[in-house]
Amino acid sequence: MMDYLKKKFVSEHLDVKEILLVPIFATFFALTIGCLFLLATGEGLKNIFIAYSSLFIGSLGSLNALSETFTAATPLIFAALGIALAFRAGLFNIGAEGQMIIGGMAAVIVGFSIDFLPVWLHLPLALSVGALFGAMYASIAGWLKASTGAHEVISTIMLNLIAIRLLDYMLRSPIIQKEGRNDPISKSVLNTSELPQLLSFIDPQLRLHAGFLVMLGTVLLIYWLLFHTTIGYEFRSTGANPNAAKYAGIKATFTIVLVMFIAGALAGLAGANQITGVLGRASPGFSASIGFDAIAVALLGRSHPIGVLFAGLLFGALIAGGRLMQVKAGVSVDLITIIQALIIVFIAAPLLVRRAVPWIFKEDIKKDK
Amino acid sequence: MKTLTKKTISAAVVASLVGLSSAAHAFTACQVTDIGGVDDKGFNATAWKGVQDAVAKHGIDSKLLESKSETDYMPHLGSFVAEGCDVIVSVGFLMGEATATAAKENSNSKFSIVDFAYNPTIPNVVGQVFATDQAAFLAGYLAAGVSKTGIVGTFGGINIPPVTVFMDGFAAGVSHHNEMKGTSVQVLGWDPSAKEGLFTGNFNSLEDGRAFAQNLYDEGADIVMPVAGPVSQGSAALAAELGTDNLMIIGVDADQYIKDAKNKSVYLTSVLKAMDATVMGVIESVMDGSFEGGLTVGTLANNGVGIAPFHDLSSAVSSELAAEIESIRSGIIDGSISVN
Amino acid sequence: MVSIELKNISKSFGPVTANKDINIFAKGGEILGLLGENGAGKTTLMNVLSGLYRPDSGTISINNEEKTFDSPRDAISAGIGMVHQHFMLVPIFSVTENVILGNEETGFANFLKLSESERKVKEISEKYSLFVDPKEKIERLPVGSQQRVEIIKVLFRSAEVLIFDEPTAVLTPQEVAELFNIMNSLKATGKAIIFITHKLHEVLEVCDRISILRAGEIVGEADPKVASNKELANMMVGRPVNLSLERRSSKPGKILLDVKNLSVLSEKLDLAVSDISFDVKEGEIVGVAGVQGNGQTELVEALTGLRSSLSGKISYFGQMVPNMNPRKIHQIGVRHIPEDRQKSGIIGNFSVGENLILNNYYAAPYSKHLKMDWDVVSIESQKIIKNFDIRTPSNDTLAQNLSGGNQQKLVVGREMSSHVDFLIASQPTRGIDVGSIEYIHEQLIKSRNAGNGILLVSTELEEILALSDRIIVLFRGRIIKEFESNPAPEQIGLAMAGHSI
């Protein structure tokens, strides 16, 4: 299965057609089929038009829309980068959700418990402790794989379950639980550990925060790591051909632990980003399945950092636009889930896309034969 | 140039269409659900029924946003503020903080939240709370009277006041029965003094609903009250398999006999919170200009809470027991019986 | 008697013309040799013949009757049978079950008429001297017998035209001789046979006529009675080829590799290499001959640090290497051309440049403090591309887009461009074109003449004979025989089949 996924979802070099055109057409077809779904559920054509124009306006049509798109995309991209990186090295990291939870928990504890640091120390500390704990948590799966051969898919799924329950438990511990509350909810982080809002000078309700910039920097950093360092070379060769990597003297065990460590750090950063940039506190389900949606983002982005960036922005746009769609057209938010799933289907079957618009992919089709 | 013109035209069409729908601006009531979703057959659904009742009665517009995760609360509320809703109803204790934040940031918008009371109150928010323990007390008394094994059970979604208040009332009703009748019916799943008990940790897993009810049944309970939104449907499915001789269910929030039609026969009764009535009341107060921030409390006295008819299981309830329940109801209303 | 004729067959895939205007014919009672290098269009032509592809133009006639094949089934019912290079047999089924698979005769209530089929299989095997037990399970048969089952399969479907696609690749010399006997007996019963191969001496030995395919076209015909090896090679490659290698006599010096009592376990924990001892000296090539699967893979893996050995000693340059691993072995100057370039020699979706630094990416000048220097990689890899004649559009081309020969030259170039003290070359020319084989052989000889030691592992007996100064033959993990120099091929063949006399 891994080989199949790799063939479908790993793009070794930045190929504009592969990374941009296929997803764009996939999105287009998904929207078209989504439209058929709406017709089938008895929506009128006018309402469908309103739904889709709101999807567009709600994601790109205003400053607030863009702010929402970017805010929703940021944690997805952080976590998806980690999944993509592991995928490059031949590991299927299903555990981003759990790593996010652990990272977010660590960030929230640093965020509310340290009250003597200035913002320029406190915030980076909260983010890096979040990343570190996510990294350590993911390393467990890496270590299990390297030392015993335990399959990372199984172990990361189990670690997700543990993380979810651990979160429930910790949110009730007196040190973490908010004073005067019975329900599982953490104390709020202090102002000094909050990611500053970027557009509050225009309108304090624009939620876009500095985590977006950290994310952009991280995309470049991961790109550099993957393509311009020996570590990236080792990751890529281990993933692309483990036999050749072994032949080249690359130690698979070390590579596995290291790549899981970095993947976990990125997922942990996604959690810390949500805590310090959006939520301000932790509660059950604060990770909001972002760690799972990020798997789709990583696959859609062909496990290439730049591809992941665009895929994440697309998913962010669907989330933000889906909200306005629900408001204006009264269409269920489940349609967005269907559209996301359809996009993945079309990406997984690029031949479908190519056959549908043969004039764009003329040469490629011949090559396929 | 040509394509540019085309784009400009279509953009204009979009703008005018979208503009149209908001230009014909009628009074609009908007609701944000919590993560249970609008078809939770519980409080989200009941509150939405209140909005729909107002739509039917006054011909107003309504809008709905369903939250998929907690991160949706703030942006959803923000969207409705931007949309210019005349009143925004949020549902559930868990939305308390988000609603407060949104209300403070948008002091011109009017909010109402189901199941949350602010202390101090916020001038543009009406909190809707319910003396659910009064109704649950009746259900507890009923359960104790009907139980053949002498053991009844309950479990919750998560340990938060709007959930545990049901369980408190239920347990108090059972002990009232024990006091009055000299019985020793036991309550499993909730210890009112320690404030601890059985919780699924979620409001959406039907599988949990089945498993928790099975556990209680295995411990001897023959009546179970799940306080966890749609989770209770899982318990009802189990009861339908076991048969009502072995297990009966007490529903919460709305009359589950009507909401959960598939397994309706297993519901002995339901503890009702008439959120539809209070939500509609708030909408009407905004329409006639009498809206004022603060608190509304639903009680047995104002029919804000109550218990549902016994429907298919009325044969299980003796006429004496039914009469006792009626007299306790009046006792609670006049204050002669304390539910604590 | 049957006859088959292909007229003006053309087939292209987009811009690539795989077959152009091809005319061949074969009639019953003769063997047509179709000689061509890998990539010359042999496989496409056979897929056209067997109904897998439809030609863009041209016709196929059988007994002067024009046929169109929409599927392999049509081709089979027209009497065409393919004996594939890679066997398509179910290991846990019996011979008969494999033969009837897809063509099962059933009787009452869909029960298989197995005994009747067995009788038929026996009949066929006796008629054509294809001796196999119809009841034996495939997994218990040696490779040569498995091939016979493939042939029976084709005859069972009453094929009149038999196509053999590179049938000798997996056989021992003795098995090859038996196969040729079988082909001759088939010919005697009036079947038409098309024999596809790139091995010159085989077509000369067994064929009645030879057609030579190059770059998708038939470039000529030859009469095996008069044609020579050299003529055929020239036609096949399209330029004069130097088949005989000039070799100075070897002047062995110090011992470079010393193996003592080495035993190695296989993946399945069988004893794959059992108690073997040999050495390789400066300035000599030691050839390791043997049929595939007799411990060569495990031996090479143990020597290069890819697999730990069970017992015994391996010393390079007079010293044992503690904690052997591939990187350490590389660092002390041992180079390794792995047996399967696709599996471990190259990374298909890495560029040529990225592949050329696989062993030393971590060191200067290619990287410094973890940072890759792609400019240096590009300059250095262009040098290797030029020096080793790797035909690639650029060093950014993905390795998977190169031909097999150029992929192999990439591997050879990578291993031999940095300083070499000792070279382990495993199947260095498997499945590549004559031009590349020639080039790689020259490189090996050059390296040997420069005083390096080379351990050459090959299942191609010709290659072993052409290059080796000494030969050891592996059979079931043991050295069954050693030859000092220029032994007769038959002797090695016997040793490969397990005869130690």
Side-chain angles (χ1 to χ4, degrees):
Chain A
M1 183 175 97
M2 197 65 208
D3 284 343
Y4 171 79
L5 288 172
K6 252 192 280 184
K7 217 167 116 195
K8 295 285 183 205
F9 295 113
V10 173
S11 165
E12 202 57 50
H13 298 272
L14 196 58
D15 175 340
V16 176
K17 264 187 189 164
E18 275 296 310
I19 293 193
L20 291 179
L21 282 185
V22 171
I24 285 171
F25 279 101
T27 310
F28 175 75
F29 292 136
L31 290 174
T32 311
I33 293 184
C35 176
L36 298 179
F37 271 101
L38 286 178
L39 279 175
T41 55
E43 294 287 345
L45 275 176
K46 186 185 160 199
N47 205 33
I48 292 173
F49 182 75
I50 292 174
Y52 278 0
S53 53
S54 329
L55 190 59
F56 186 73
I57 294 166
S59 55
L60 301 169
S62 67
L63 193 58
N64 182 53
L66 281 171
S67 159
E68 284 301 315
T69 296
F70 292 160
T71 309
T74 301
L76 277 173
I77 294 170
F78 271 126
L81 279 175
I83 293 164
L85 198 65
F87 208 55
R88 285 269 171 179
L91 294 176
F92 209 169
N93 174 19
I94 310 286
E97 182 82 1
Q99 294 145 22
M100 235 189 110
I101 289 173
I102 299 296
M105 271 315 283
V108 89
I109 292 171
V110 172
F112 71 69
S113 62
I114 300 178
D115 55 5
F116 48 84
L117 287 179
V119 62
W120 57 271
L121 272 178
H122 195 189
L123 176 59
L125 184 71
L127 291 177
S128 23
V129 169
L132 180 68
F133 273 78
M136 293 195 305
Y137 199 62
S139 303
I140 298 173
W143 174 78
L144 284 173
K145 167 117 182 173
S147 63
T148 70
H151 201 290
E152 75 280 2
V153 168
I154 310 289
S155 54
T156 51
I157 289 175
M158 294 306 145
L159 287 169
N160 280 344
L161 297 177
I162 293 171
I164 291 167
R165 296 303 171 194
L166 194 65
L167 173 70
D168 279 350
Y169 174 77
M170 289 183 72
L171 286 176
R172 289 181 178 285
S173 83
I175 312 160
I176 295 170
Q177 193 170 29
K178 190 169 181 137
E179 304 85 349
R181 291 282 286 263
N182 256 330
D183 55 320
I185 191 156
S186 79
K187 298 185 175 107
S188 295
V189 299
L190 301 170
N191 288 340
T192 47
S193 64
E194 274 179 6
L195 282 159
Q197 276 170 282
L198 294 178
L199 302 173
S200 54
F201 62 94
I202 301 172
D203 178 350
Q205 295 205 37
L206 292 171
R207 296 198 303 161
L208 185 64
H209 55 82
F212 181 67
L213 301 180
V214 179
M215 179 274 288
L216 290 179
T218 309
V219 169
L220 292 179
L221 183 73
I222 295 300
Y223 178 84
W224 182 78
L225 175 82
L226 202 49
F227 294 107
H228 290 278
T229 68
T230 54
I231 297 171
Y233 185 89
E234 287 172 2
F235 286 174
R236 288 187 295 128
S237 43
T238 306
N241 185 345
N243 287 314
K246 190 179 169 200
Y247 161 82
I250 295 167
K251 286 201 181 69
T253 49
F254 179 69
T255 307
I256 288 167
V257 176
L258 182 63
V259 79
M260 284 305 286
F261 186 85
I262 299 175
L266 290 163
L269 211 47
N273 169 82
Q274 286 303 85
I275 294 294
T276 58
V278 178
L279 297 165
R281 54 175 170 69
S283 54
F286 80 89
S287 51
S289 297
I290 289 169
F292 294 119
D293 292 344
I295 296 171
V297 172
L299 298 182
L300 181 59
R302 288 289 209 275
S303 297
H304 191 291
I306 307 299
V308 165
L309 174 66
F310 284 113
L313 289 174
L314 173 66
F315 270 51
L318 286 172
I319 293 168
R323 194 170 293 137
L324 193 68
M325 188 179 84
Q326 227 186 324
V327 170
K328 293 283 187 197
V331 170
S332 166
V333 69
D334 294 335
L335 180 71
I336 292 297
T337 316
I338 292 176
I339 288 173
Q340 285 175 347
L342 284 170
I343 292 175
I344 298 297
V345 169
F346 280 111
I347 297 284
L351 210 57
L352 228 61
V353 173
R354 290 178 177 176
R355 285 279 149 77
V357 279
W359 56 94
I360 301 275
F361 297 98
K362 230 175 261 165
E363 306 126 62
D364 299 5
I365 290 178
K366 279 178 192 149
K367 235 191 289 167
D368 279 350
K369 280 184 184 169
Chain B
M1 193 59 217
K2 205 172 170 187
T3 50
L4 187 72
T5 336
K6 248 187 200 163
K7 268 184 201 154
T8 329
I9 291 169
S10 61
V13 172
V14 171
S16 66
L17 259 173
V18 173
L20 254 177
S21 59
S22 51
H25 185 95
F27 185 94
T28 310
C30 303
Q31 179 181 333
V32 180
T33 74
D34 80 346
I35 48 182
V38 74
D39 45 10
D40 67 345
K41 303 185 180 175
F43 63 179
N44 285 303
T46 314
W48 183 237
K49 180 172 173 288
V51 175
Q52 292 309 304
D53 288 347
V55 168
K57 190 167 164 195
H58 302 291
I60 59 170
D61 278 351
S62 66
K63 288 187 187 301
L64 176 73
L65 272 175
E66 291 184 76
S67 302
K68 281 168 78 185
S69 72
E70 242 187 282
T71 43
D72 283 339
Y73 296 160
M74 274 310 294
H76 277 10
L77 291 166
S79 296
F80 276 151
V81 171
E83 189 62 13
C85 293
D86 294 284
V87 57
I88 300 167
V89 179
S90 57
V91 181
F93 182 82
L94 296 175
M95 290 187 69
E97 283 181 34
T99 307
T101 312
K104 284 172 188 158
E105 280 175 7
N106 305 284
S107 49
N108 292 328
S109 300
K110 297 181 176 67
F111 294 86
S112 180
I113 178 165
V114 173
D115 264 352
F116 203 92
Y118 294 105
N119 186 18
T121 57
I122 303 167
N124 56 336
V125 186
V126 173
Q128 305 175 27
V129 291
F130 301 87
T132 323
D133 46 350
Q134 294 182 348
F137 188 91
L138 300 181
Y141 191 92
L142 171 71
V146 172
S147 171
K148 282 171 288 200
T149 59
I151 301 174
V152 297
T154 182
F155 65 87
I158 50 183
N159 192 346
I160 52 175
V163 169
T164 56
V165 70
F166 279 91
M167 300 158 86
D168 280 335
F170 185 76
V174 172
S175 43
H176 187 69
H177 187 273
N178 289 342
E179 259 169 52
M180 304 298 288
K181 301 278 185 176
T183 54
S184 53
V185 178
Q186 261 184 291
V187 179
L188 300 179
W190 181 242
D191 178 347
S193 49
K195 296 277 174 201
E196 272 169 21
L198 274 180
F199 292 92
T200 56
N202 67 69
F203 285 106
N204 46 36
S205 165
L206 301 197
E207 213 35 61
D208 280 355
R210 168 181 284 270
F212 276 63
Q214 178 79 52
N215 284 345
L216 290 168
Y217 171 73
D218 291 344
E219 295 297 320
D222 60 350
I223 300 176
V224 169
M225 179 177 77
V227 192
V231 172
S232 67
Q233 292 162 37
S235 312
L238 176 74
E241 280 167 31
L242 293 172
T244 49
D245 287 345
N246 295 315
L247 184 63
M248 290 183 263
I249 302 295
I250 294 177
V252 298
D253 290 345
D255 187 352
Q256 298 299 328
Y257 183 86
I258 294 161
K259 293 278 182 185
D260 187 13
K262 200 168 66 179
N263 294 315
K264 59 183 183 179
S265 60
V266 305
Y267 289 101
L268 176 60
T269 184
S270 297
V271 181
L272 303 177
K273 278 161 76 175
M275 285 162 285
D276 46 351
T278 48
V279 166
M280 181 148 137
V282 169
I283 292 171
E284 284 175 336
S285 77
V286 176
M287 294 179 77
D288 65 21
S290 64
F291 177 90
E292 207 176 310
L295 204 59
T296 71
V297 183
T299 59
L300 281 179
N302 63 12
N303 280 329
V305 298
I307 60 170
F310 311 130
H311 299 293
D312 295 354
L313 291 173
S314 30
S315 58
V317 184
S318 64
S319 50
E320 301 87 58
L321 183 58
E324 283 165 34
I325 286 172
E326 275 315 305
S327 72
I328 292 171
R329 177 201 296 276
S330 2
I332 293 172
I333 292 173
D334 66 26
S336 60
I337 297 174
S338 159
V339 298
N340 294 321
Chain C
M1 248 193 251
V2 68
S3 73
I4 180 164
E5 182 162 20
L6 275 66
K7 269 197 190 143
N8 308 102
I9 295 282
S10 292
K11 175 78 191 167
S12 55
F13 302 105
V16 183
T17 307
N19 286 158
K20 194 176 165 196
D21 215 9
I22 290 197
N23 292 294
I24 53 171
F25 78 96
K27 54 182 194 295
E30 71 167 10
I31 300 177
L32 170 70
L34 196 57
L35 185 65
E37 297 197 71
N38 285 350
K42 291 175 296 182
T43 312
T44 306
L45 188 60
M46 286 313 111
N47 285 336
V48 167
L49 247 177
S50 62
L52 227 51
Y53 295 156
R54 286 187 76 159
D56 298 336
S57 61
T59 56
I60 303 171
S61 314
I62 293 176
N63 299 331
N64 298 321
E65 194 183 317
E66 223 174 87
K67 302 267 184 193
T68 38
F69 301 148
D70 287 326
S71 71
R73 212 163 258 278
D74 291 353
I76 289 167
S77 57
I80 294 177
M82 282 282 277
V83 177
H84 291 279
Q85 181 178 1
H86 302 286
F87 304 150
M88 301 181 175
L89 299 169
V90 184
I92 56 163
F93 275 18
S94 75
V95 170
T96 307
E97 284 165 337
N98 268 286
V99 168
I100 63 175
L101 191 65
N103 221 17
E104 304 89 349
E105 275 185 55
T106 52
F108 172 72
N110 274 353
F111 280 106
L112 283 179
K113 290 183 177 169
L114 208 52
S115 57
E116 197 174 309
S117 303
E118 258 163 26
R119 193 181 45 74
K120 230 166 133 186
V121 168
K122 202 155 184 225
E123 219 175 83
I124 294 173
S125 77
E126 276 164 9
K127 185 172 171 195
Y128 300 99
S129 336
L130 293 158
F131 301 108
V132 284
D133 176 359
K135 288 183 177 162
E136 188 64 272
K137 294 256 186 297
I138 291 295
E139 59 190 356
R140 304 176 59 154
L141 293 177
V143 174
S145 307
Q146 291 187 16
Q147 190 170 51
R148 280 181 227 157
V149 177
E150 283 282 352
I151 299 171
I152 294 173
K153 230 164 98 178
V154 167
L155 294 170
F156 187 83
R157 287 159 178 72
S158 30
E160 288 299 314
V161 181
L162 279 81
I163 302 164
F164 288 82
D165 185 10
E166 300 274 4
T168 60
V170 287
L171 304 181
T172 64
Q174 274 69 26
E175 286 172 327
V176 171
E178 281 167 34
L179 174 68
F180 288 173
N181 284 338
I182 293 166
M183 284 165 69
N184 278 322
S185 71
L186 287 168
K187 169 176 135 182
T189 62
K191 310 277 185 199
I193 294 172
I194 301 178
F195 175 34
I196 304 169
T197 184
H198 67 277
K199 292 183 183 170
L200 306 170
H201 68 103
E202 289 181 353
V203 282
L204 289 175
E205 189 177 336
V206 76
C207 296
D208 297 301
R209 288 185 300 112
I210 302 169
S211 289
I212 296 124
L213 197 61
R214 187 175 80 229
E217 291 182 77
I218 297 288
V219 291
E221 313 230 324
D223 181 351
K225 285 187 218 66
V226 293
S228 74
N229 251 335
K230 201 169 166 63
E231 283 167 12
L232 290 177
N234 292 353
M235 282 168 90
M236 188 159 91
V237 181
R239 61 180 169 81
V241 176
N242 184 6
L243 283 177
S244 56
L245 290 153
E246 280 180 45
R247 228 167 58 180
R248 276 184 276 156
S249 62
S250 80
K251 285 170 274 175
K254 283 188 298 186
I255 291 177
L256 296 178
L257 168 65
D258 192 13
V259 175
K260 284 229 158 60
N261 305 105
L262 182 69
S263 293
V264 186
L265 291 180
S266 74
E267 212 66 48
K268 294 177 190 159
L269 302 181
D270 298 328
L271 199 57
V273 174
S274 149
D275 193 26
I276 69 172
S277 303
F278 66 93
D279 59 33
V280 183
K281 302 187 186 72
E282 277 177 345
E284 70 168 355
I285 297 180
V286 173
V288 178
V291 178
Q292 201 176 341
N294 276 287
Q296 297 99 321
T297 306
E298 289 82 1
L299 171 64
V300 169
E301 285 181 352
L303 293 180
T304 53
L306 283 161
R307 182 182 290 274
S308 50
S309 45
L310 182 67
S311 60
K313 280 185 192 165
I314 300 168
S315 335
Y316 283 105
F317 319 121
Q319 281 189 335
M320 294 262 292
V321 186
N323 302 323
M324 268 175 82
N325 64 52
R327 183 160 295 178
K328 222 175 239 174
I329 296 294
H330 187 268
Q331 281 163 345
I332 61 169
V334 178
R335 301 291 174 262
H336 172 205
I337 298 168
E339 63 172 4
D340 187 337
R341 61 177 168 276
Q342 303 281 2
K343 192 181 153 210
S344 49
I346 60 163
I347 297 177
N349 54 2
F350 270 25
S351 70
V352 172
E354 285 174 307
N355 269 291
L356 284 171
I357 55 166
L358 196 57
N359 289 320
N360 40 19
Y361 69 91
Y362 57 88
Y366 303 121
S367 64
K368 205 188 271 178
H369 307 309
L370 299 182
K371 189 185 176 309
M372 300 297 303
D373 191 335
W374 291 116
D375 294 336
V376 172
V377 172
S378 166
I379 293 164
E380 292 299 314
S381 59
Q382 257 146 26
K383 276 187 210 158
I384 302 175
I385 289 170
K386 190 159 162 279
N387 290 344
F388 286 83
D389 189 32
I390 304 168
R391 312 264 167 90
T392 170
S394 81
N395 64 336
D396 289 328
T397 307
L398 296 190
Q400 67 198 9
N401 295 339
L402 301 188
S403 71
N406 282 306
Q407 288 177 348
Q408 191 68 13
K409 282 197 264 182
L410 189 164
V411 174
V412 171
R414 177 179 71 214
E415 296 305 313
M416 299 181 69
S417 57
S418 54
H419 178 74
V420 184
D421 289 313
F422 191 80
L423 176 70
I424 298 172
S426 195
Q427 312 289 1
T429 60
R430 179 190 275 175
I432 63 177
D433 56 287
V434 174
S436 302
I437 292 176
E438 185 192 1
Y439 184 82
I440 288 170
H441 284 177
E442 275 169 20
Q443 296 298 321
L444 295 178
I445 294 290
K446 222 164 54 184
S447 177
R448 160 197 177 269
N449 292 348
N452 293 321
I454 297 177
L455 185 71
L456 169 70
V457 180
S458 177
T459 51
E460 298 271 344
L461 193 47
E462 278 175 276
E463 181 167 73
I464 295 276
L465 287 168
L467 295 173
S468 310
D469 299 304
R470 285 191 292 136
I471 297 168
I472 59 182
V473 182
L474 277 186
F475 180 75
R476 295 192 181 154
R478 293 175 185 277
I479 296 179
I480 194 164
K481 193 110 172 122
E482 288 193 59
F483 298 93
E484 274 312 316
S485 61
N486 292 335
E490 303 79 60
Q491 277 184 296
I492 299 186
L494 281 171
M496 284 166 74
H499 301 280
S500 50
I501 318 111

